[in-house]
Amino acid sequence: MKKLIIFTLLSCALYAQEMKISIKPVDNDIYKKECGSCHFAYPAGLLPSSSWNKMMLNLSDHFGDDASVDDKTFQTLSSYLNMNSAEKAMQYKRSKKIVKNLKGTTSDSISKMPYMKKKHEEIKENLITQKEVKGLFNCTACHQNAEKGVFSDDDVKIPNYGKWKK
Amino acid sequence: MKIVIVACLLASLGFSSVIDDFLSSLKQEAIKENPSFKEFDYKRGEELFLSKHIGKKGELISCASCHGTDLNKSNQNYFTGKTIDALSPKANQKRFTDKADIEKWLKRNFNDVYNREGTAIEKGDVVTYIINK
């Protein structure tokens, strides 16, 4: 009986966690390796194809870094990003909101998108620029389960601040 | 048993040969660059790794800005904060086992720190430093 209760509770906990997934987590090992070596491997559903394509055409100057890859890797990354971009993943809450809030813009980066700025406007600038975070680009500094596609407010813990409270 | 021993020998040969092959091909290139070239040099590699330059992002950085000075330990990317696993093959067996990977990172990181690609001599020197540090 005790085992059954524990099992039920665990299932509920897992289910609750599952429910909070608001964007498709990265499911491509080459993408994880190539892009995730230097920064959080951002879920493809965070940008529309037009933005990903623009970014891929300038990898030798990728936010000031040389992120160039060979032709084969380029094709793999491009097709993965195109197949999983925001407008192809509208069943996920965040992708849907991102697409709805683009307002005709082709953002060059995730952190400069109108939706992303709006979602973070209540957070004090110094908490975002502090050395433990560095900038909005560093999702995992505060979103504890970002790698699992969880971006809900109650999963946020800001360094030198704590759990996020409005 | 014999098969196991042979497999182990092949595996160990396989590991060291990637970097050995890479260094010997760099050596051929280095001789073309400079006919009086003799051997790659740990000290010159150390200087390349630790000296600071205005990099691609306009900040004064060295290879150690991201990789740290203790190559047997992990360190943080200076710009993104992402953890970078230890660079030394002594601490991290995955290092220097794939030629395409070695070439990719040498090209990228020379560009990031030096704003240009490395010469064959420079690449050989810095690899010699890293694998022996």
Side-chain angles (χ1 to χ4, degrees):
Chain A
M1 190 59 194
K2 208 171 165 186
K3 272 184 187 167
L4 187 68
I5 295 170
I6 293 172
F7 178 73
T8 313
L9 283 172
L10 268 174
S11 311
C12 287
L14 282 170
Y15 186 66
Q17 184 74 3
E18 195 76 20
M19 286 298 283
K20 290 183 201 162
I21 291 176
S22 58
I23 199 151
K24 188 191 169 188
V26 175
D27 59 348
N28 181 294
D29 287 340
I30 292 173
Y31 179 83
K32 269 186 215 170
K33 183 187 167 216
E34 290 299 330
C35 309
S37 299
C38 300
H39 55 69
F40 169 51
Y42 303 102
L46 282 170
L47 281 177
S49 298
S50 54
S51 295
W52 285 128
N53 291 339
K54 199 173 166 187
M55 195 182 291
M56 288 299 287
L57 290 175
N58 195 22
L59 283 184
S60 58
D61 191 5
H62 182 68
F63 301 96
D65 266 340
D66 181 358
S68 50
V69 293
D70 61 50
D71 290 346
K72 196 178 158 221
T73 310
F74 183 91
Q75 293 306 330
T76 307
L77 299 178
S78 286
S79 74
Y80 177 71
L81 291 168
N82 270 290
M83 282 195 287
N84 295 280
S85 62
E87 71 271 32
K88 308 265 175 63
M90 298 286 271
Q91 68 272 39
Y92 292 94
K93 183 181 161 189
R94 299 295 171 202
S95 295
K96 195 175 172 181
K97 291 204 169 186
I98 284 163
V99 172
K100 277 177 110 179
N101 284 279
L102 283 172
K103 294 170 180 130
T105 58
T106 303
S107 280
D108 289 338
S109 75
I110 293 161
S111 48
K112 290 196 179 90
M113 273 191 296
Y115 177 70
M116 223 42 93
K117 283 192 195 165
K118 197 177 120 198
K119 289 303 285 182
H120 296 90
E121 68 188 359
E122 286 177 54
I123 299 158
K124 286 203 179 89
E125 187 68 22
N126 64 317
L127 288 176
I128 295 168
T129 54
Q130 62 172 324
K131 68 177 193 319
E132 288 84 355
V133 180
K134 292 181 190 282
L136 275 192
F137 59 83
N138 193 1
C139 309
T140 48
C142 307
H143 293 273
Q144 302 176 88
N145 289 290
E147 278 171 29
K148 293 175 190 155
V150 177
F151 284 92
S152 49
D153 284 0
D154 56 15
D155 198 51
V156 171
K157 198 173 160 193
I158 306 175
N160 301 313
Y161 175 87
K163 288 284 259 182
W164 171 242
K165 285 186 282 295
K166 282 194 179 180
Chain B
M1 190 60 196
K2 211 170 167 185
I3 294 170
V4 176
I5 295 170
V6 172
C8 287
L9 279 172
L10 279 173
S12 63
L13 273 173
F15 170 75
S16 63
S17 70
V18 171
I19 191 64
D20 289 347
D21 284 355
F22 181 64
L23 281 173
S24 64
S25 68
L26 276 180
K27 194 174 175 180
Q28 298 308 313
E29 269 185 69
I31 292 165
K32 277 183 208 158
E33 274 174 19
N34 177 0
S36 64
F37 171 80
K38 290 279 175 286
E39 293 295 333
F40 293 124
D41 184 75
Y42 179 97
K43 272 276 160 207
R44 287 197 309 256
E46 183 175 41
E47 169 71 19
L48 280 162
F49 196 87
L50 296 176
S51 65
K52 291 187 172 182
H53 301 266
I54 301 286
K56 220 170 161 60
K57 288 189 180 175
E59 285 197 46
L60 192 64
I61 53 166
S62 70
C63 307
S65 300
C66 289
H67 288 292
T69 48
D70 184 348
L71 304 188
N72 291 295
K73 286 190 182 145
S74 63
N75 204 68
Q76 259 101 47
N77 182 303
Y78 180 79
F79 296 101
T80 70
K82 176 95 185 180
T83 301
I84 303 174
D85 293 337
L87 187 56
S88 166
K90 290 174 195 164
N92 183 356
Q93 291 194 343
K94 287 182 192 155
R95 293 295 189 195
F96 298 93
T97 54
D98 182 272
K99 187 170 175 267
D101 235 28
I102 305 169
E103 285 179 332
K104 179 183 79 182
W105 286 110
L106 281 172
K107 175 175 181 263
R108 286 180 174 183
N109 292 354
F110 258 103
N111 265 328
D112 288 340
V113 178
Y114 285 82
N115 258 308
R116 60 169 177 79
E117 287 191 35
T119 64
I121 297 171
E122 286 173 329
K123 287 192 272 187
D125 286 344
V126 85
V127 167
T128 301
Y129 168 69
I130 295 165
I131 63 172
N132 291 299
K133 165 86 174 153

